[in-house]
């Protein structure tokens, strides 16, 4: 496993997005915990969760509680990053609540569920258009000052919001978690800004566009569409297209730390191996038109 910088910490170059372990279609507890153990065995030290990763309207904090059980005794090098400011009511929607009082209560609840002295990385899950960003980020600053969280981050945010939060938090703002993948690259400006400010950029859903795990002859290649080069290089290297996709992301910038989701041990093992996959100049040139 290779490592990258997040704040003043070194974390695995590939993390685990734990959301699939708790939402609809989730595995049973045994397989979920086996997936987390497989990640640890593969050298993964960054685990991403949120208080809203649970079934709609049921079991708030399920993912945090699951990770707390699965990571018990894992060691101080493991960093759990959680988020607050979103909800999942029974109607299946995703709500947003950036009220400072809500965020502080949510962080205290997460702290209790994770059973830690301080949350390693706490992120505003999404800016609330009904609440001035300065007030939401102010809650993160208070949590930092109180020692309830060690580092702070933002998610689902734009460049102006990152700059505003950086003015408030300074070097205690360490990360931005936005959607970014071969298919969805709207956050190019945010990625460049993170590299400029020294922030880690954590792509969520990083494998968008690479849905097939292997090529099944010419028909499989055709199905891969404009992302066929990922599959071609994977076949040549004897690895999965997902590994090539993650290696492509890692090559974009030293700031990038992808957090692919997984609900099976073999999936996270495969993703973790991408940290060791270095694309050649010729391979990168074949993928360059995509990014």
């Amino acid at each position: 496993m290779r490592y990258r910088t997040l704040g003043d910490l070194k974390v695995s170059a590939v993390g685990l997005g734990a959301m699939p372990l708790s939402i609809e279609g989730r595995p049973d507890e045994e397989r979920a915990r086996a997936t987390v153990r497989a990640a640890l065995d593969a050298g993964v030290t960054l685990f991403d969760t949120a208080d809203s990763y649970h079934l709609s309207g049921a079991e708030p904090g399920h993912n945090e509680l699951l990770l707390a059980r699965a990571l018990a005794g894992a060691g101080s090098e493991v960093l759990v990053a959680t988020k607050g400011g979103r909800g999942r009511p029974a109607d299946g929607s995703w709500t947003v609540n950036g009220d400072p009082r809500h965020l502080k209560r949510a962080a205290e609840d997460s702290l209790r569920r994770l059973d830690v002295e301080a949350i390693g990385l706490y992120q505003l899950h999404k800016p609330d258009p009904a609440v001035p960003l300065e007030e939401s980020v102010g809650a993160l600053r208070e949590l930092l000052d109180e020692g309830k969280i060690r580092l702070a981050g933002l998610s689902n945010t734009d460049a102006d919001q990152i700059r505003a939060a950086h003015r408030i938090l300074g070097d205690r703002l360490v990360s931005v978690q936005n959607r970014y993948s071969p298919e969805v690259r709207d956050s190019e400006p945010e990625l460049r800004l993170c590299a400029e400010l020294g922030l880690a950029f954590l792509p969520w859903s990083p494998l968008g566009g690479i849905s097939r795990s292997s090529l099944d002859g010419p028909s499989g290649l055709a199905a891969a569409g404009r992302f066929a080069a990922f599959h071609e290089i994977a076949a040549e290297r004897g690895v999965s297209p997902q590994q090539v996709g993650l290696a492509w992301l890692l090559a974009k910038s030293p700031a990038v730390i992808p957090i692919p989701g997984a609900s099976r041990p073999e999936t996270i093992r495969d993703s973790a191996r991408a940290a060791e996959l270095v694309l050649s100049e010729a391979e990168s040139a074949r993928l360059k038109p995509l990014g």
Side-chain angles (χ1 to χ4, degrees):
M1 176 58 69
R2 297 178 186 271
Y3 294 87
R4 294 204 159 176
T5 301
L6 195 159
D8 58 357
L9 303 176
K10 293 289 186 182
V11 298
S12 55
V14 175
L16 171 64
M19 179 179 175
L21 302 178
S22 291
I23 62 169
E24 288 73 11
R26 68 193 188 192
D28 60 28
E29 173 93 4
E30 182 179 357
R31 196 176 91 189
R33 295 180 70 164
T35 301
V36 175
R37 289 194 299 271
L40 289 169
D41 291 343
V44 172
T45 62
L46 174 62
F47 294 81
D48 178 76
T49 183
D51 59 0
S52 55
Y53 292 169
H54 57 81
L55 299 177
S56 297
E59 302 175 287
H62 180 277
N63 201 239
E64 292 174 325
L65 290 166
L66 172 64
L67 279 183
R69 293 191 295 270
L71 292 172
S76 58
E77 70 276 8
V78 168
L79 176 66
V80 176
T82 193
K83 299 180 285 295
R86 301 209 75 177
R88 294 203 72 200
D91 64 6
S93 64
W94 286 84
T95 59
V96 181
N97 187 347
D99 183 275
R101 292 163 296 183
H102 169 77
L103 291 173
K104 294 193 72 174
R105 286 195 302 269
E108 289 167 358
D109 289 342
S110 293
L111 185 67
R112 186 164 49 252
R113 285 190 290 260
L114 292 170
D115 193 24
V116 291
E117 293 182 3
I119 296 171
L121 171 61
Y122 193 69
Q123 302 160 98
L124 176 65
H125 204 154
K126 185 176 183 179
D128 185 345
V131 177
L133 181 69
E134 292 76 12
E135 294 184 12
S136 299
V137 175
L140 300 185
R141 182 177 56 194
E142 291 180 20
L143 289 165
L144 286 162
D145 292 342
E146 294 165 3
K148 293 176 180 176
I149 67 175
R150 293 196 171 98
L151 300 168
L154 304 175
S155 185
N156 300 299
T157 188
D158 64 32
D160 288 340
Q161 291 166 334
I162 295 169
R163 291 188 185 94
H166 190 258
R167 286 194 293 270
I168 296 169
L169 298 176
D171 60 9
R172 295 193 292 180
L173 178 70
V174 301
S175 65
V176 171
Q177 184 178 141
N178 279 9
R179 188 178 185 185
Y180 190 87
S181 69
E183 184 177 40
V184 179
R185 288 175 280 119
D186 297 343
S187 284
E188 280 283 355
E190 288 72 34
L191 170 54
R192 290 194 296 269
L193 180 59
C194 284
E196 176 187 324
L197 295 177
L199 308 178
F201 184 83
L202 314 179
W204 61 265
S205 197
L207 294 172
I210 310 178
S211 59
R212 295 175 60 86
S213 61
S214 63
L215 292 177
D216 299 317
S219 61
L221 184 59
R226 69 188 182 95
F227 304 107
F230 287 93
H231 297 259
E232 294 167 348
I233 292 169
E236 293 161 10
R237 286 287 201 109
V239 300
S240 70
Q242 285 79 9
Q243 280 190 47
V244 177
L246 293 171
W248 174 80
L249 280 167
L250 289 166
K252 294 285 289 184
S253 167
V256 172
I257 306 172
I259 46 171
S263 61
R264 297 179 297 154
E266 53 267 36
T267 305
I268 188 56
R269 290 192 195 104
D270 183 75
S271 291
R273 285 193 287 269
E276 302 293 335
L277 181 62
V278 179
L279 300 173
S280 69
E281 290 185 11
E283 290 167 335
S284 295
R286 290 163 65 184
L287 298 172
K288 189 174 182 180
L290 297 169

